[in-house]
Amino acid sequence: MKVWVDSERCQGHTLCSMIAPDSFQLSDIDGSSSAIDEIVPAEHQDRVREAAQSCPEQAIIVTDE
């Protein structure tokens, strides 16, 4: 599974990092999110999917590659 955050959509709501802190990091400048690693370890996949579904801007893209 792969994940990334669309920087054009992300508004810095921080929900992703609250739900999946091992997978998302927040910018100190504007609070926007980015994936810590594009490839999601198996033990973090459920949380990453939950974060993607919870994103108000639908800025988190998940693929099952």
Side-chain angles (χ1 to χ4, degrees):
M1 171 182 178
K2 292 184 178 181
V3 65
W4 67 93
V5 179
D6 182 338
S7 61
E8 296 291 318
R9 287 181 168 177
C10 180
Q11 297 295 309
H13 294 286
T14 74
L15 292 173
C16 57
S17 102
M18 287 189 281
I19 294 168
D22 294 325
S23 299
F24 298 97
Q25 60 190 359
L26 302 176
S27 165
D28 290 336
I29 297 169
D30 62 4
S32 63
S33 178
S34 61
I36 292 173
D37 192 357
E38 182 181 271
I39 298 173
V40 181
E43 64 269 16
H44 297 157
Q45 291 182 5
D46 288 341
R47 291 279 186 171
V48 168
R49 283 190 181 96
E50 181 182 346
Q53 292 173 350
S54 298
C55 179
E57 307 303 329
Q58 297 300 292
I60 301 170
I61 295 92
V62 175
T63 61
D64 288 324
E65 294 180 20

